Amino acid sequence: MSHQVAYPLPQQATVFNGESSQSPESQLQKPDCHTSLLENQESYTGVAQLPVMVAETHQAPSIFSRSVSMPLPQNNNVGTIQSSPESLLARGEQSLPGLNINNSSEVRSATVAKIEHLKNWSISTYKCTKQIISEKLGKSSRTVDTELESQIDLLRDVQRKYLNILRLSRALSSHFHHVVSTQQGLGEAFADLAQKSPELQSEFLCNAETQRSLSRHGEILMAALDFFVSSVNTLVNKTMEDTLLTVKRYEAARIEYDAYRSDLEILLQSPASGQTNALADAQLAYDEHKADFEKLRADVSVKLRFLNENRVKVMHKQLLLFHNAVSAYFSGNQTALEATLKQFNIKMKTGNIAPSSWLEQ
């Protein structure tokens, strides 16, 4: 059911030529149309009235409480630090840069040491390079130990020849390994054909057992060859190489010694005065490098002597092993071949040796 609402027409002023007859002051004092309707609503009793809902507005508090989590500073010096470094360290906070004097001094001393080491290395490298070039051009003399130099040249020649022996021994071991594998495969093929060919069974079985016996003897010889190759490799690539490393250090010390010796000779021959400090420094450097050079020369002499004795002992044993093993194998003497391995304490894997055949037994 709908209600018809009728609003009274407000009193309008007389309009002449589209303009109001009231003055501007009266127009300013005229109340708003909606306000007048609300005020005069009660005077209309015969008209249905609409309820007017007044919305509640949220009123913000007029007083705001200030947060106390971060108090304001007591003075205007906001950028200054109020706490002392000792209190910061006591509270466990991170110290400011420059407070730890011990760490800064250690870092400074380490940096100075590195710079000094780099400086000394650069000077030494320059002097050594100059000495090498002067020796090649014939403008400077070099310290020569004839006996020691001949021993060093002999060692390098021996190492070169032993490397050739090592290369050939490895090739022989590799080829013989393929031979043994082929003999094993051939023996299995003969044994398989012996089961499928009754008319040739005895012949196939005989050849199969022969190839198996050769492969077993070959495995024993392979063990001897591997031991020989391992021993020669240790002698050449470890023992001799260690001695040659000492020789390289000796040659580098010799070049440094000659370089500082040349500088000292130049200072001694120069007639200029006022070089007392430079002469003293040159003499000190010469003495230090001379001591290092003589120490390394003595070390090289000792190592060469012990290396020569060790080389003779090792090669005497290995050459005897090589001769006995090869001779026993190619002569078919299995007992002598096994005795050779026992003589030199060479152990084989049990899986590599097949049990003896019934023909051999």
Side-chain angles (χ1 to χ4, degrees):
M1 180 177 181
S2 60
H3 297 279
Q4 295 181 357
V5 180
Y7 292 96
L9 296 174
Q11 296 180 358
Q12 299 180 355
T14 305
V15 180
F16 181 77
N17 294 330
E19 296 179 357
S20 176
S21 61
Q22 296 179 357
S23 62
E25 290 78 4
S26 62
Q27 292 179 359
L28 292 175
Q29 295 177 1
K30 183 178 179 180
D32 185 66
C33 180
H34 296 284
T35 306
S36 62
L37 288 175
L38 293 175
E39 291 176 355
N40 299 327
Q41 190 175 5
E42 297 178 356
S43 62
Y44 300 97
T45 59
V47 182
Q49 298 180 1
L50 295 176
V52 178
M53 301 297 294
V54 180
E56 295 182 359
T57 59
H58 178 71
Q59 295 181 359
S62 59
I63 299 175
F64 295 90
S65 60
R66 188 175 61 191
S67 175
V68 297
S69 60
M70 184 175 181
L72 295 176
Q74 299 296 330
N75 51 10
N76 295 329
N77 298 328
V78 180
T80 59
I81 300 175
Q82 300 296 331
S83 300
S84 62
E86 291 78 5
S87 62
L88 291 176
L89 294 175
R91 291 197 303 266
E93 298 181 0
Q94 185 178 4
S95 60
L96 297 176
L99 293 179
N100 198 338
I101 303 176
N102 295 329
N103 292 338
S104 61
S105 62
E106 291 178 359
V107 172
R108 189 182 299 108
S109 61
T111 305
V112 171
K114 290 181 179 179
I115 294 175
E116 188 68 21
H117 176 72
L118 180 61
K119 177 183 176 182
N120 295 333
W121 175 83
S122 302
I123 294 174
S124 178
T125 304
Y126 167 74
K127 290 181 180 294
C128 293
T129 306
K130 180 181 177 182
Q131 178 65 24
I132 293 173
I133 296 175
S134 301
E135 290 179 0
K136 291 183 178 181
L137 296 177
K139 297 182 179 179
S140 178
S141 61
R142 61 186 299 266
T143 304
V144 179
D145 190 340
T146 308
E147 183 180 359
L148 189 61
E149 293 291 337
S150 62
Q151 293 178 2
I152 292 173
D153 293 338
L154 179 62
L155 172 61
R156 286 173 175 163
D157 185 63
V158 168
Q159 186 192 33
R160 184 166 52 252
K161 292 179 180 179
Y162 275 43
L163 284 172
N164 186 34
I165 292 176
L166 179 61
R167 179 181 60 83
L168 295 174
S169 301
R170 283 176 174 171
L172 177 62
S173 178
S174 177
H175 297 332
F176 199 76
H177 175 73
H178 291 296
V179 171
V180 172
S181 300
T182 305
Q183 288 174 346
Q184 290 176 351
L186 190 58
E188 293 176 359
F190 284 152
D192 183 55
L193 286 173
Q195 296 177 359
K196 297 180 181 180
S197 301
E199 66 279 5
L200 298 174
Q201 185 175 10
S202 60
E203 289 80 0
F204 277 126
L205 287 175
C206 181
N207 283 277
E209 294 300 329
T210 301
Q211 295 300 322
R212 289 173 179 175
S213 177
L214 289 175
S215 64
R216 284 194 300 271
H217 299 170
E219 289 178 352
I220 298 175
L221 180 61
M222 281 288 300
L225 291 177
D226 291 341
F227 186 77
F228 176 82
V229 169
S230 176
S231 300
V232 175
N233 178 57
T234 303
L235 177 64
V236 173
N237 292 325
K238 292 184 179 180
T239 309
M240 290 185 179
E241 193 64 29
D242 179 69
T243 304
L244 289 176
L245 287 176
T246 308
V247 169
K248 291 179 181 179
R249 293 171 54 196
Y250 159 75
E251 291 176 348
R254 197 274 309 165
I255 294 174
E256 292 181 355
Y257 165 71
D258 286 339
Y260 284 93
R261 178 180 57 81
S262 300
D263 291 344
L264 181 61
E265 292 176 354
I266 292 173
L267 289 175
L268 291 175
Q269 294 176 0
S270 63
S273 59
Q275 296 183 355
T276 306
N277 295 331
L279 185 61
D281 294 340
Q283 184 67 40
L284 180 61
Y286 167 77
D287 294 338
E288 292 179 356
H289 287 86
K290 181 180 179 181
D292 295 339
F293 168 69
E294 291 179 350
K295 181 179 180 300
L296 285 173
R297 181 170 58 182
D299 293 343
V300 169
S301 300
V302 172
K303 284 195 173 185
L304 286 175
R305 185 173 68 253
F306 281 110
L307 175 62
N308 189 33
E309 296 176 358
N310 187 27
R311 177 182 61 84
V312 171
K313 292 180 181 179
V314 170
M315 290 309 297
H316 175 74
K317 177 181 178 180
Q318 296 303 319
L319 291 174
L320 183 61
L321 166 67
F322 190 86
H323 174 267
N324 293 342
V326 172
S327 300
Y329 173 78
F330 285 100
S331 63
N333 192 349
Q334 182 182 3
T335 304
L337 186 59
E338 294 177 354
T340 302
L341 265 66
K342 292 180 181 179
Q343 178 184 357
F344 294 96
N345 297 324
I346 301 174
K347 296 181 180 180
M348 292 184 58
K349 296 181 181 180
T350 57
N352 293 337
I353 303 178
S356 59
S357 63
W358 58 272
L359 289 178
E360 295 176 350
Q361 294 177 356

